[in-house]
Each structure stands twice: as C-alpha cells, then as structure tokens.
Amino acid sequence: MSIVIEKFVPRYGKQIDDLVGNPDRGFRTETVWYVDKAAESENPKKYIEDKLDIYCLPCKDEKIRLDMIYTYLTAYRNRDLPKEALEVLQIFFNVLRERKMKIMLRFAYCDSFLALETGAGEANIARHIQQLRQLVARNADVIHTLQSGFVGAYGEWAPCYQMPPVNYYNVLWRILHELVFPSGLYYQLRLPTYKNYINDYKPYYDRIGIDSCAFFGEQTREGWESEGFQVNGELKEDWEQLTREAAYTPQDGELFVNVNLVETKRMVDGKEAILEMAHHRFTSFSCWHGYKEISAEEENTTVMYGWKQEEITAEWLKKNKIVYNPNYFKDDKGNSIKRNTFEFIRDHLGYQIVLQDFSADKEISPGAEVNIKVELKNYGFSAAFNMHCGFAILDSDNKVIKSIETGNPETWYSHDPQNAFDDNVLIHKVEGKLEMPVARGEYSLCFYLKNSMNEPAKVGNEIEEYNGYVILRHFKY
C-alpha cells in the first residue's frame, strides 16, 4: 500500500507562460550558413556566431531553444569533405553547445531552385554521409532531429528540384543507416510520401517524423496547400497517415515566407493552425516565417500578429476536442483571463508537464529502500522527445548524492496516441527505487526532467526547484 505524501499545486494562467523556455520544444528559428565560407574566414567561430545571431536575436522574446539550420556543403558537391570542413563543423557544434541550443540539422547543396546545377550526385552524397557519420554521432546531444537534407533545392526533397537525378530510396536508407539510427536520433521528412519509401523496414520507419515546410492549417481552401497535402487534397491519404502516426515522433513545421502569404491573401488562421498542430502533434514550429523575418516596424503585417489578435477560449477547444490545461484560462484566484491563438500555440507546442502527486511505499528512514512514484499529466501537443527523467537525493549543500533514471518521456502522450480526436487527458506514472542515506542530515528527494544536453525542464507546478531538480519533499533525521 502506498502512502500518499504530497499532492502538487498547479500553476495558473500567466504563470504557465514561464514554461516557454523549456528545451526540445516550442517555437524555433532558422539559420543559414555555408561551411566553406566559415572555413575560409579569419575566425570561423565568429562567422558561425554572427550567422546564428542574425536569426536568433530577433526571436529572443520567444525564449527559443531550437534552431533549424541549413548547413550548405555546396562547395564540396563534387569532392570529399576536406579536413578543414569537418573541423569547422565541429566548431559549429561546440558553439551550439555553449549556447545550450538544440538544432534540426539539415545538410544541403543547392540553395535556390534557380540554381539546380549546384546539386550533388548520388555517389558524392553517399560519400559525404559516410564522412559525417562520426561527427553526427559525437554531437548527437546537440541535435533535436536530422531533417530532410542532401536532396533538392534547400535540401527539401522536392523531386522536381533535384539535379542530377538520384534514387530517393538509396539516399534515405543511407541517411537513416549512417546518421540517424546509430546515433539514436529522430529524422524528419517533408511529407509522409517520402517516409513511405522505407516502410519495409520498421526500425527505421519508426524514427521518421515530418517537417511541414508549407503549413496552412487544417482547412479545405483551394490553393492553400503544398503538393496536395491537405485535409481533402490530392495527398489526403498522407494527411490521414500523419494523423494516425504523429504521436510517436517529433513533428515540425513552418509557414511560407510572409510576403508570399500577404500577396496571395493566404493569411493562415490561428484556430486552423491549432487544429493541425494538435491533430498532427507538433513538437516545434518556426516563428521566423510569418513573424520574425519581418522588421519590428512592420510586425502588424505578419500572420502571427494576426494570431495575437485572435482570441481562443476553453469552450472552442472543448468543442473541437483539443486537449488544454484547465488552469490556462484562469488566474490563481479563479478569475477568467483572455488568451489568444499565438499564446496557445507557443505554450502547447511539444510538452507541458504538470505533476499530480507523489507517493512512496513506506516512510523515509535511514537506509530504507523506498519505492517512489510520481503521477503527471501532459497538456502539450506532443510527447517529450529527447528527454530523460528520474529521481535524485540532494544533501544539505544541494549536491546530488544518489539518483536513478527511470520513466520514458517519449510515451507521455497528452491523450490516446491512436486517436487524435480524443481529449481525455492521460495520467502517466514514473516509478523508481532509491536507498535513503544512512548518515544523519538534511536532504531533499527530487524529480528531474532533462534533455540530452542535461538542460532541465520546468514543470507546471508552484513547487520549489533547485538547479533543475524539482523538490518533492525535504526530510531529515
């Protein structure tokens, strides 16, 4: 029989906004850089830092922890990657690690559909993938996902923009076999159509999510799609496939550039965006496209400015069976507060973890082996990918003296992973056994949730924390 020791107090209203900076989730930016130009520069590290700042600094208010990075190997498309290229790539990863930034990594050759002659042939692609294997494995802690890459303009995989022609199955197999699977990474492709090239080998297939680079929300307007990927479009089966499979891998997306959306009068609606992100369980989404790419003086022309003006209510979410935190729309005194679609998307991309209670199978005493259990709910669109969790004991100096990793955040679905239209919130359990200290003293029993760089995540509770450790209970004897 368990002894319930603590039920946790949740955060309310705007207090929940403090979770925005959690790792491996949320809004992201993008960065474009060329490996050869960095290698030829007087200071490669500064070149890389300057490139990152161009795209990251405008997004500082959104507390981004993710960056989708176009890494161009154009100059090497007809030869092996030289030593200086591999060295600069390691400098690049070191800079990201210093900044505590995780990335969607996309290698590419052709940087414009008007310059298709800068693409690489299949033999050189294969050789580069082989050369990059150890580098990717060594820096897997910095990588949120590998994304598309190597094929087509911008590495986007659109077949009409790949010169010379390549065998897509062969390239996909090599990426998964050499870079993704050995490093325990996830991979993201433009559409399920491309994912299906590898559906004959489940271990690889199960590591693939989607990077939707032409996001228009869940709607049926003519021309508001890319390659027919729409609820009722030519790729309706792809849409439905992603709805079935999205819970198991991280999904990412971005709008078209804002000027295109303005000129074509395709200003994506915030509620329709929420429907797609919820049903396709998005972990991340670009706030560069349709928002930060435009100067601050012209922000009111952007799609996401429109989202900031569009109110979202608990009633609408309930009607559409979208999971939400019941405390999101009220303050700690129970008063209702207004929310907009931009805020809701920002706060629900990826995971939003709220601890429910903590229990143990016996009283804490010197040397006792105690079975610990924490129950939690996730109100985010997706599970917590690239995260690990467990329990720890801190001494009176807040040093970790015992810890155990246990639990699987990648299975913390907010609702039924096989039914995108079910809004019953699941309860997940994290359980583990810890031997209590024998020596007399003051201690803290803690829960932690961290990413692959050991960067901690906050939980949606009013609870004491120390250096990423959520304190379940202080005790002494």
Side-chain angles (χ1 to χ4, degrees):
M1 178 181 296
S2 293
I3 302 169
V4 176
I5 297 177
E6 190 77 47
K7 286 190 175 294
F8 299 112
V9 177
R11 297 182 189 226
Y12 289 85
K14 299 295 183 178
Q15 296 172 336
I16 296 171
D17 298 6
D18 190 42
L19 306 181
V20 167
N22 273 343
D24 281 86
R25 63 153 301 279
F27 278 137
R28 65 155 173 91
T29 188
E30 72 167 30
T31 297
V32 178
W33 74 295
Y34 294 78
V35 175
D36 64 304
K37 292 180 180 178
E40 293 167 1
S41 67
E42 291 183 6
N43 187 335
K45 182 179 181 184
K46 185 177 187 305
Y47 171 94
I48 293 165
E49 289 174 334
D50 289 347
K51 287 294 184 183
L52 291 170
D53 286 346
I54 290 170
Y55 298 93
C56 292
L57 290 179
C59 303
K60 64 181 183 299
D61 289 345
E62 314 313 327
K63 300 179 181 178
I64 58 166
R65 302 290 298 277
L66 292 171
D67 191 350
M68 197 285 281
I69 299 188
Y70 293 91
T71 300
Y72 281 103
L73 306 173
T74 317
Y76 314 114
R77 65 188 181 277
N78 294 319
R79 59 190 175 104
D80 283 359
L81 298 175
K83 178 183 177 183
E84 58 267 25
L86 296 172
E87 289 173 348
V88 162
L89 282 164
Q90 186 58 60
I91 293 171
F92 161 72
F93 284 116
N94 293 344
V95 169
L96 292 165
R97 197 173 281 109
E98 288 172 6
R99 293 183 174 216
K100 301 177 181 180
M101 180 73 75
K102 294 283 291 286
I103 63 170
M104 294 84 155
L105 177 60
R106 181 184 297 191
F107 293 105
Y109 303 99
C110 176
D111 63 0
S112 171
F113 60 85
L114 300 176
L116 300 185
E117 70 278 2
T118 61
E122 190 171 329
N124 280 321
I125 291 173
R127 176 61 181 143
H128 287 172
I129 289 172
Q130 187 179 52
Q131 285 186 276
L132 292 165
R133 176 172 178 156
Q134 289 186 3
L135 182 82
V136 167
R138 190 164 61 244
N139 296 283
D141 61 311
V142 181
I143 301 170
H144 176 71
T145 64
L146 278 169
Q147 197 176 90
S148 296
F150 299 102
V151 172
Y154 319 109
E156 284 186 349
W157 273 65
C160 60
Y161 295 138
Q162 171 56 32
M163 293 294 292
V166 299
N167 183 308
Y168 273 51
Y169 175 88
N170 289 346
V171 175
L172 178 57
W173 177 270
R174 287 186 181 277
I175 292 171
L176 291 163
H177 187 68
E178 299 277 358
L179 303 181
V180 175
F181 205 72
S183 299
L185 296 172
Y186 285 101
Y187 184 55
Q188 292 173 326
L189 272 168
R190 180 185 177 95
L191 292 167
T193 291
Y194 306 123
K195 173 181 178 177
N196 292 339
Y197 290 151
I198 205 81
N199 62 8
D200 59 341
Y201 192 62
K202 196 173 187 310
Y204 288 1
Y205 181 89
D206 288 348
R207 304 301 294 180
I208 304 175
I210 300 302
D211 64 270
S212 177
C213 56
F215 179 94
F216 289 97
E218 189 169 302
Q219 42 69 42
T220 58
R221 299 180 191 87
E222 185 176 353
W224 288 48
E225 43 76 26
S226 177
E227 299 186 45
F229 186 64
Q230 194 178 25
V231 176
N232 64 340
E234 293 179 16
L235 293 184
K236 178 183 177 182
E237 290 184 2
D238 276 40
W239 183 281
E240 293 173 348
Q241 177 185 343
L242 183 55
T243 303
R244 292 192 304 272
E245 298 176 350
Y248 307 107
T249 53
Q251 318 301 329
D252 176 58
E254 63 187 43
L255 299 163
F256 271 7
V257 293
N258 201 74
V259 64
N260 174 281
L261 297 175
V262 171
E263 289 176 354
T264 59
K265 298 181 180 178
R266 295 183 295 177
M267 303 296 278
V268 177
D269 177 79
K271 289 179 180 175
E272 291 171 351
I274 288 171
L275 289 173
E276 180 173 354
M277 290 180 189
H279 293 152
H280 288 167
R281 309 193 193 228
F282 274 51
T283 299
S284 56
F285 195 78
S286 172
C287 66
W288 182 259
H289 302 79
Y291 187 29
K292 296 298 185 178
E293 60 176 316
I294 304 300
S295 66
E297 293 75 18
E298 298 180 283
E299 180 184 328
N300 62 358
T301 69
T302 65
V303 170
M304 292 193 187
Y305 178 84
W307 293 357
K308 289 185 175 184
Q309 317 312 310
E310 185 178 2
E311 186 176 358
I312 188 75
T313 63
E315 290 71 27
W316 183 87
L317 294 166
K318 190 177 298 183
K319 177 182 177 182
N320 287 277
K321 291 189 170 294
I322 305 296
V323 168
Y324 68 95
N325 186 334
N327 299 318
Y328 191 70
F329 294 94
K330 56 188 178 183
D331 63 23
D332 56 1
K333 295 180 176 59
N335 301 312
S336 296
I337 60 173
K338 288 188 175 182
R339 291 290 198 172
N340 60 58
T341 56
F342 177 88
E343 289 175 322
F344 190 84
I345 290 168
R346 177 198 66 194
D347 297 337
H348 291 81
L349 286 165
Y351 59 91
Q352 185 193 117
I353 306 301
V354 181
L355 305 184
Q356 302 299 300
D357 58 52
F358 152 62
S359 62
D361 68 339
K362 63 184 68 169
E363 292 290 349
I364 293 174
S365 59
E369 285 195 341
V370 180
N371 290 299
I372 306 157
K373 180 171 70 175
V374 164
E375 294 190 344
L376 59 87
K377 291 182 179 180
N378 176 14
Y379 292 104
F381 292 147
S382 84
F385 294 103
N386 300 312
M387 306 295 289
H388 61 278
C389 65
F391 300 108
I393 297 175
L394 309 185
D395 65 14
S396 57
D397 295 321
N398 290 317
K399 290 177 59 178
V400 177
I401 59 170
K402 291 179 182 287
S403 66
I404 179 173
E405 184 174 321
T406 182
N408 186 5
E410 294 182 352
T411 63
W412 293 352
Y413 316 111
S414 60
H415 56 293
D416 187 347
Q418 298 180 347
N419 184 358
F421 306 97
D422 171 44
D423 61 350
N424 292 306
V425 182
L426 300 176
I427 294 178
H428 300 279
K429 298 176 183 179
V430 181
E431 300 179 88
K433 181 183 288 187
L434 271 177
E435 182 179 344
M436 297 298 108
V438 175
R440 292 185 177 276
E442 297 183 1
Y443 303 96
S444 301
L445 179 59
C446 305
F447 169 81
Y448 67 85
L449 176 62
K450 299 182 180 184
N451 75 353
S452 54
M453 289 199 294
N454 281 321
E455 288 299 307
K458 295 180 179 180
V459 296
N461 299 86
E462 284 297 296
I463 193 168
E464 185 180 356
E465 298 180 31
Y466 180 80
N467 199 26
Y469 290 93
V470 179
I471 297 175
L472 305 175
R473 190 185 185 195
H474 293 295
F475 64 96
K476 64 180 179 179
Y477 38 73

